[in-house]
Amino acid sequence: MNLLRLSWRMLLREWRAGELHALSFALLIAVGGVTAVGFFTDRVNQALTTEASQLLAADLALVADHEVNSEFISEASQRGLTPVRILTFPSMVVSATGNQLAEIKAVAPGYPLRGKLRIQSGESERVAEGIPDPGTVWLDDRLLAQLQLAPGDSLELGAARFQVAAVLSFEPDRGGGLFSIAPRLMMNAQDLPATALIQPGSRISHRTLLAGHPREIAAYRAWAAPRLARGEKIEGISDARPEIRSALERGGKFLNLAALTSLILAAVAIVLSARRFLERHLDGCAVMRCTGASQKQVFLLYLYQFLWLGILASLAGCLLGYGAQWVLARQLGGLIAAGLPAPSWTPLVYGLLTGLATLLGFALPFLQRLKRVPPLWVLRRELGGPQRINLAGFAAGVGVLLAMLLWQAGEIRLGLYVLGGLAAVVVVALLLTHALIRLLAPLRHKVGMVGITWRYGLANLVRRRHASASQVVALGLGLTALLLLTLVRGDLLHSWQSTLPVHAPNRFIINIQPDQVKPLQVFLGSHDMAAAELFPMVRGRLLAINGRAVSAADYAEDRTKRLVEREFNLSWAERLQDDNQIVAGRWWEKRSAAAQWSVEEGIAKNLGIKLGDELTYQVAGQSFSAKVTSLRKVDWDSFRVNFFVIAAPALLEAYPASYITAFYLPAGDEALLNEMVRTFPNLTVIDVAALMNQVRVMMERIASTVEFVFLFTLAAGLMALYAAIAATREERMVEAAIMRTLGASGRQLLLSQMAEFILIGLLAGAVASLAATGLGYVLATRVFHLPYAFNPWLWAIALAVGVLGVTVAGWLGTRGVLRQPPLQTLGRLG
Amino acid sequence: MQARSLSRQVPVSDGVLTILHHLDLEIASGESVAIIGASGSGKSTLLGLLAGLDLPTSGEVHINGENLFALDEDGRAALRGRLIGFVFQSFQLLPALTAIENVMLPLELAGTASARELALSVLQRVGLGERLHHYPKHLSGGEQQRVAIARAFATQPKLLLADEPTGNLDSATGGRIIDLLFELNREQGTTLVLVTHDAELAARCGRRLRLVDGHLVAE
């Protein structure tokens, strides 16, 4: 208890003496940065999730091919979740001029629970309030065109007549099941009985949409999952369209990467500041030991001081972070349409734990060393202080950091990549520094070859070998982070956004009959759309892998279960599509190649298919088998036509197929579609422009949030740089004062300091560009799955920023000596 | 060397502390002067002002006819490089440099061509010819102070200022350091001003001045 009070008093004294300002500031900024990132990403993630739930029109959907047991509904209501039931089924819609198969969607009031419907009545397009009134329906423009109807006209659906009230221009949950979409008719569920379309055996999809608090949603999902019967499944936000999912996942990774980096930078700043604290307290500790304090007492005294400091600085940091994220959110403005929800308290706990754990994890080795200072140190410095810290001392700190990284990354792979990358940076920086010092050291003895200032700079670099190496490491890490976050981030975001090119296909045409392939190509060609390639499509069910029957029950994941249950869209091809890449095995090159399969690697992994496995499919009532001879990587973001499973032509050519194609239709050219539908009445055109727009907007939002979050990491990086420079600042000032005594001019002082700073800056720049290039490559190819583009500017910028940054910072740090009488510097610091 | 009406005050928590009080001092070329006095009497402050290492609150110091405080920090450094050698109680060697490099430093800063040869001969003179390439941390206290003395004499200064040169050394080592200091002083005809507690050392100087309450009193 006494020690606690004493430590508090000592902390106040140290604070007044300015001993702890640098350390506290580093911790404050670090915790502030981490919590701001935490609070902000928490809110942004919540907002992004909300946006993603619009694609489901709910937070969770219970999907079944029959009416679900009422306990699912009552349980949802009991949990405070709002259930809304919708039914979809195909049916013929009849107008005065003809009839058309349409996808009927009967909705109940409340739909959509997330997102908004948009309709067009008259000239203006607007957000719909509610759903179609009883007796009226909304049609999408495709169905309207096919039936030659206009708002106000009437149509027949089953046994009932309806009036067309509006054009349905946007449904948030239209994304699901791209290829099953026929034109849409939306009606009020109240009118269903009148149509008499709901009969036993009708192909009806029953969806129960649910929305509510994320905790309740998760609890409900956990409750419902084991109760699902055959033909029932749950779709969550993460089961929404794969394009959106991968956008969300990548956005999350970018944000986490920024947070991770600020955490590491905080640790670097803490190590450097704590080391300085140790060096400045060796004397005091030795004196305490002389006056009878035990090692344990000395240790506890400083440990408590650091605990006080950690708690106070972390709390202040949390406040700073909390304040900062509000500023951030304001700056974000209307960027996120859904608005940012209130932050949760988790980041606060995280910030406090981060501050304390990082401070103690990285300061403890120094405190341990402090307690081992021999009392005799007071009298005889030449005895040498306590032994140097070996790197193993930081194992606890690194462990803490690793745990926090994994926690923050929420994903072991990203955490390990970042940590492994940074460990490699440390090793490379140490090796490079020592190698360079070894190389340059002999130069200082060659008088005439290098001037006194360079000789002195070199001498300092050599003597401070370890300090220099740790400075290079810290500066290199700081710079690496900054490079990763500026240039590499820019490159990554750019290549991510360019995965969705401006002229990516925005219309799909399905149901093309074999005899229409040629005429359609001619038609598209005559309208400057010659590039469109037509792909054959055969529907088939996977029966067995290596002779073993495949069943949904064999797989844990919902998505995989669904894949097994439904029919695959199979295709055959002679040539490998250029957005596909073979990752295992070989692609057949000849049209005459033997019967064989090529499988997309993701689905192969999910289904447990390996190269050489024999897959049995059933197509049009016939089953047949062939071996898997290659696995492909597919760029799903390209919005081009792609297939999970492709066969060599010989295997599928004989089966009845329809064709599919995708092409880019410039806005304003929609009239072309009408002409096409008139020429080829059986074709179904699917418009994904709205969906792609959603994806694009999302990418832009994520990119800007990352840019905001990046500012904090930048501040943390600058703190690490500052701490690295400050670590040897006082030593330099004393040395400069001594040189002053010996008659050195201001210019000589400046040059000798600069010489050392330039060397350190060059090394740090080299380390950082190596590291950022390597990490950028790994992150791009392994984590973000994006093409990597080497950026030569990175090297030029890293070296320039390294040299300039370190030199300017060093100059700012030591210029005081030039103006101050030397004895004042020596008296204060010596 | 002349000091006229030299005052030095430092701000303290409850006002201003006057360390030196309108102090006048004149030292002729070739003289040896010991400044003695109780701890905290301002001896080191005075020495620092005489070397232009600190700034006075008021007053002037002239060395070789040049007004020290009319120069800027660079000008004073250049003057020190030409005329003054300084020996600190705590040696103040640069830890990054070897013994010979420490001695070469003021010569190189002044642009002397034969720095290495000169440094070598001074180090041999102080008996460290065998330890040229040792770093300060590998030298004993006495050896470090000998390097510091060699560094001070290397530029053949007209004025040598020494602040408690034996303060950090045992008496036997201190004795040898003092012998060395006076020998070099004789050989080079340097003016020597030293601050000391050591009565024996003070006795060897031509003149002794005691600093009492900010005033100098001749003994």
Side-chain angles (χ1 to χ4, degrees):
Chain A
M1 194 56 215
N2 254 338
L3 270 179
L4 260 182
R5 270 217 304 276
L6 179 61
S7 67
W8 173 251
R9 281 204 303 272
M10 274 176 69
L11 181 72
L12 292 181
R13 276 180 224 146
E14 306 251 14
W15 181 261
R16 271 198 302 273
E19 290 287 309
L20 292 170
H21 291 182
L23 186 78
S24 321
F25 194 56
L27 197 61
L28 177 85
I29 286 271
V31 175
V34 167
T35 39
V37 168
F39 278 127
F40 189 63
T41 51
D42 180 54
R43 295 180 70 189
V44 168
N45 276 332
Q46 283 187 53
L48 290 178
T49 308
T50 309
E51 297 223 339
S53 49
Q54 292 180 9
L55 299 169
L56 205 62
D59 294 330
L60 200 69
L62 191 59
V63 187
D65 55 9
H66 52 264
E67 194 161 344
V68 292
N69 194 323
S70 63
E71 70 165 338
F72 283 107
I73 309 295
S74 54
E75 177 71 20
S77 302
Q78 265 173 30
R79 289 173 181 269
L81 303 173
T82 333
V84 168
R85 298 167 75 165
I86 58 179
L87 277 74
T88 48
F89 54 92
S91 180
M92 293 304 283
V93 181
V94 182
S95 75
T97 54
N99 55 59
Q100 174 70 41
L101 184 71
E103 186 82 5
I104 314 298
K105 188 169 186 173
V107 298
Y111 168 86
L113 291 170
R114 296 282 185 247
K116 297 267 185 263
L117 289 171
R118 297 187 69 85
I119 53 170
Q120 198 175 354
S121 53
E123 284 301 295
S124 64
E125 203 222 11
R126 60 185 167 85
V127 170
E129 283 152 24
I131 57 169
D133 290 330
T136 68
V137 290
W138 296 344
L139 271 58
D140 67 5
D141 50 1
R142 201 145 48 95
L143 187 56
L144 221 52
Q146 281 159 346
L147 293 172
Q148 296 179 17
L149 286 170
D153 295 347
S154 59
L155 54 76
E156 278 173 46
L157 178 66
R161 273 194 90 74
F162 293 92
Q163 196 191 20
V164 178
V167 182
L168 181 62
S169 50
F170 179 74
E171 284 170 77
D173 52 342
R174 187 68 189 262
L178 191 62
F179 299 110
S180 61
I181 295 177
R184 169 73 83 219
L185 180 148
M186 186 175 285
M187 63 182 290
N188 194 308
Q190 226 181 299
D191 293 331
L192 270 180
T195 62
L197 287 171
I198 310 296
Q199 305 290 341
S202 309
R203 275 178 53 206
I204 300 170
S205 160
H206 296 253
R207 293 175 77 85
T208 306
L209 304 183
L210 297 163
H213 192 280
R215 216 178 25 239
E216 285 304 326
I217 289 290
Y220 179 80
R221 188 174 189 154
W223 172 87
R227 291 173 172 77
L228 294 176
R230 172 140 190 102
E232 295 171 355
K233 69 188 176 200
I234 289 178
E235 280 181 11
I237 295 155
S238 55
D239 306 314
R241 291 201 52 99
E243 294 89 351
I244 303 295
R245 193 174 47 241
S246 85
L248 258 180
E249 277 173 7
R250 277 196 197 139
K253 280 178 187 172
F254 276 124
L255 291 176
N256 280 330
L257 185 66
L260 283 185
T261 318
S262 70
L263 195 62
I264 289 158
L265 292 172
V268 170
I270 284 167
V271 166
L272 290 165
S273 302
R275 203 182 119 207
R276 205 162 92 100
F277 184 87
L278 162 83
E279 276 160 9
R280 294 168 65 87
H281 284 74
L282 279 175
D283 287 358
C285 272
V287 170
M288 277 194 278
R289 297 274 285 118
C290 284
T291 54
S294 69
Q295 282 200 356
K296 192 180 161 199
Q297 280 173 317
V298 169
F299 177 69
L300 284 180
L301 201 59
Y302 282 102
L303 180 68
Y304 291 157
Q305 265 192 65
F306 271 69
L307 273 175
W308 287 120
L309 183 75
I311 292 169
L312 287 177
S314 302
L315 274 176
C318 285
L319 278 178
L320 175 78
Y322 190 75
Q325 61 86 25
W326 281 109
V327 178
L328 273 180
R330 276 174 79 103
Q331 280 196 331
L332 204 59
L335 204 60
I336 290 187
L340 290 177
S344 70
W345 290 103
T346 340
L348 198 68
V349 178
Y350 179 68
L352 263 178
L353 285 179
T354 303
L356 276 176
T358 315
L359 179 65
L360 293 182
F362 287 94
L364 274 183
F366 294 104
L367 298 186
Q368 293 273 6
R369 202 181 140 198
L370 207 48
K371 85 174 181 191
R372 282 198 296 266
V373 63
L376 209 56
W377 168 262
V378 178
L379 301 176
R380 304 202 51 190
R381 296 297 160 89
E382 66 272 20
L383 279 180
Q387 321 87 311
R388 288 173 39 74
I389 292 181
N390 69 43
L391 286 173
F394 290 113
V398 172
V400 166
L401 197 60
L402 182 66
M404 289 192 295
L405 286 180
L406 297 183
W407 182 13
Q408 182 82 341
E411 184 188 346
I412 291 177
R413 217 151 76 113
L414 180 62
L416 285 181
Y417 272 128
V418 171
L419 205 80
L422 291 170
V425 173
V426 172
V427 172
V428 168
L430 290 175
L431 288 178
L432 254 181
T433 313
H434 285 289
L436 192 91
I437 286 172
R438 198 169 279 264
L439 202 73
L440 291 179
L443 274 186
R444 57 184 274 231
H445 300 301
K446 298 206 172 20
V447 185
M449 262 192 76
V450 282
I452 166 71
T453 51
W454 278 92
R455 233 144 63 69
Y456 182 71
L458 265 178
N460 263 334
L461 197 67
V462 174
R463 179 183 68 90
R464 286 198 267 262
R465 194 184 297 257
H466 297 291
S468 301
S470 63
Q471 257 174 330
V472 169
V473 169
L475 290 166
L477 277 181
L479 271 175
T480 305
L482 298 186
L483 284 175
L484 271 181
L485 285 166
T486 48
L487 296 168
V488 176
R489 171 202 57 117
D491 291 349
L492 284 179
L493 282 182
H494 179 76
S495 49
W496 179 30
Q497 281 174 330
S498 63
T499 55
L500 193 59
V502 183
H503 293 301
N506 58 5
R507 297 291 194 287
F508 285 82
I509 311 175
I510 56 171
N511 214 15
I512 306 163
Q513 297 310 303
D515 61 346
Q516 290 177 317
V517 169
K518 275 266 146 54
L520 186 66
Q521 274 170 336
V522 170
F523 177 87
L524 290 173
S526 67
H527 291 89
D528 297 330
M529 288 169 198
E533 192 180 347
L534 275 70
F535 302 89
M537 198 160 90
V538 173
R539 291 179 73 82
R541 186 177 289 277
L542 177 64
L543 294 182
I545 301 174
N546 290 333
R548 258 196 59 204
V550 169
S551 145
D554 298 342
Y555 300 97
E557 264 186 58
D558 286 354
R559 264 184 87 214
T560 319
K561 283 182 195 282
R562 247 177 296 145
L563 278 169
V564 171
E565 280 168 353
R566 71 170 200 204
E567 286 194 317
F568 275 76
N569 291 314
L570 304 170
S571 185
W572 74 83
E574 184 185 339
R575 204 174 49 77
L576 183 67
Q577 246 176 281
D578 52 14
D579 58 346
N580 283 210
Q581 197 189 328
I582 296 294
V583 291
R586 285 188 59 173
W587 180 260
W588 52 88
E589 291 296 348
K590 290 198 199 88
R591 185 161 185 84
S592 55
Q596 53 196 301
W597 302 110
S598 173
V599 183
E600 190 263 342
E601 60 169 353
I603 202 178
K605 200 174 145 203
N606 287 342
L607 292 172
I609 297 171
K610 288 177 295 299
L611 199 65
D613 281 359
E614 195 175 63
L615 304 186
T616 308
Y617 271 94
Q618 185 184 50
V619 175
Q622 293 182 45
S623 47
F624 51 87
S625 304
K627 276 203 173 0
V628 176
T629 55
S630 67
L631 296 179
R632 282 169 301 126
K633 193 164 127 181
V634 173
D635 177 14
W636 291 110
D637 296 323
S638 70
F639 272 81
R640 292 165 61 177
V641 177
N642 262 302
F643 297 90
F644 283 130
V645 180
I646 298 178
L651 193 56
L652 283 179
E653 245 173 349
Y655 291 93
S658 68
Y659 284 74
I660 173 173
T661 188
F663 65 99
Y664 173 73
L665 184 76
D669 282 5
E670 283 80 4
L672 178 73
L673 288 183
N674 294 338
E675 195 187 331
M676 188 167 74
V677 173
R678 272 199 301 276
T679 319
F680 308 97
N682 64 310
L683 296 193
T684 305
V685 181
I686 298 164
D687 180 359
V688 291
L691 176 76
M692 286 176 54
N693 218 25
Q694 264 182 307
V695 173
R696 203 168 266 133
V697 165
M698 198 165 215
M699 280 181 176
E700 275 160 20
R701 281 178 197 170
I702 293 170
S704 23
T705 58
V706 172
E707 268 157 30
F708 282 117
V709 168
F710 154 69
L711 287 179
F712 275 81
T713 318
L714 187 73
L718 291 177
M719 268 317 294
L721 293 188
Y722 168 79
I725 299 291
T728 53
R729 178 169 170 259
E730 282 156 11
E731 206 176 330
R732 286 170 200 286
M733 289 178 81
V734 169
E735 288 169 12
I738 296 171
M739 285 177 77
R740 258 295 197 223
T741 310
L742 299 176
S745 70
R747 199 175 152 270
Q748 285 172 323
L749 281 184
L750 198 63
L751 285 178
S752 65
Q753 300 264 326
M754 293 303 103
E756 189 184 346
F757 283 136
I758 287 171
L759 289 173
I760 288 181
L762 263 180
L763 271 172
V767 166
S769 25
L770 256 178
T773 307
L775 281 175
Y777 175 78
V778 173
L779 286 177
T781 54
R782 298 290 158 87
V783 180
F784 296 113
H785 301 296
L786 293 168
Y788 176 76
F790 175 76
N791 183 350
W793 282 105
L794 191 135
W795 283 77
I797 290 171
L799 291 176
V801 168
V803 171
L804 274 178
V806 176
T807 314
V808 169
W811 175 69
L812 286 176
T814 41
R815 91 204 136 119
V817 174
L818 302 182
R819 287 199 306 259
Q820 217 177 26
L823 212 56
Q824 286 178 17
T825 310
L826 287 177
R828 197 160 54 82
L829 306 169
Chain B
M1 184 193 66
Q2 285 178 313
R4 280 198 214 118
S5 191
L6 204 56
S7 290
R8 181 75 167 102
Q9 296 173 324
V10 286
V12 285
S13 55
D14 49 352
V16 173
L17 176 72
T18 303
I19 302 171
L20 301 176
H21 206 85
H22 295 293
L23 179 148
D24 292 303
L25 173 65
E26 202 157 323
I27 295 170
S29 181
E31 227 189 322
S32 63
V33 177
I35 299 171
I36 52 181
S39 285
S41 59
K43 305 184 297 289
S44 296
T45 307
L46 175 61
L47 203 70
L49 286 174
L50 294 180
L53 293 176
D54 198 359
L55 296 177
T57 310
S58 66
E60 294 175 353
V61 171
H62 291 260
I63 291 174
N64 235 13
E66 274 191 83
N67 183 353
L68 213 49
F69 300 116
L71 302 169
D72 63 4
E73 208 49 69
D74 258 6
R76 281 193 291 277
L79 184 134
R80 274 196 300 274
R82 280 201 319 277
L83 300 174
I84 305 175
F86 203 100
V87 177
F88 295 92
Q89 177 179 358
S90 50
F91 326 136
Q92 301 285 25
L93 297 177
L94 290 172
L97 304 182
T98 59
I100 189 161
E101 285 170 339
N102 260 294
V103 179
M104 283 164 68
L105 187 61
L107 294 164
E108 287 178 314
L109 287 171
T112 311
S114 50
R116 183 168 290 274
E117 292 70 32
L118 279 172
L120 185 65
S121 72
V122 189
L123 273 173
Q124 279 165 347
R125 175 67 192 80
V126 301
L128 286 177
E130 305 296 309
R131 323 215 69 172
L132 300 177
H133 302 300
H134 285 60
Y135 283 94
K137 66 176 173 186
H138 296 132
L139 297 172
S140 71
E143 286 170 332
Q144 288 190 46
Q145 193 60 305
R146 276 192 277 164
V147 175
I149 288 173
R151 182 176 69 181
F153 277 105
T155 53
Q156 302 192 319
K158 292 248 183 306
L159 174 63
L160 189 98
L161 302 168
D163 184 10
E164 307 244 14
T166 58
N168 276 6
L169 302 170
D170 62 74
S171 62
T173 313
R176 283 196 292 279
I177 290 292
I178 292 165
D179 290 342
L180 183 63
L181 211 52
F182 281 99
E183 278 165 33
L184 285 167
N185 188 39
R186 258 197 317 279
E187 284 166 20
Q188 298 195 1
T190 316
T191 309
L192 179 66
V193 181
L194 53 85
V195 158
T196 186
H197 269 117
D198 184 344
E200 192 188 333
L201 172 54
R204 293 177 65 167
C205 290
R207 186 148 61 111
R208 281 160 300 283
L209 299 170
R210 181 175 292 276
L211 197 57
V212 183
D213 297 334
H215 298 277
L216 273 180
V217 185
E219 291 245 307

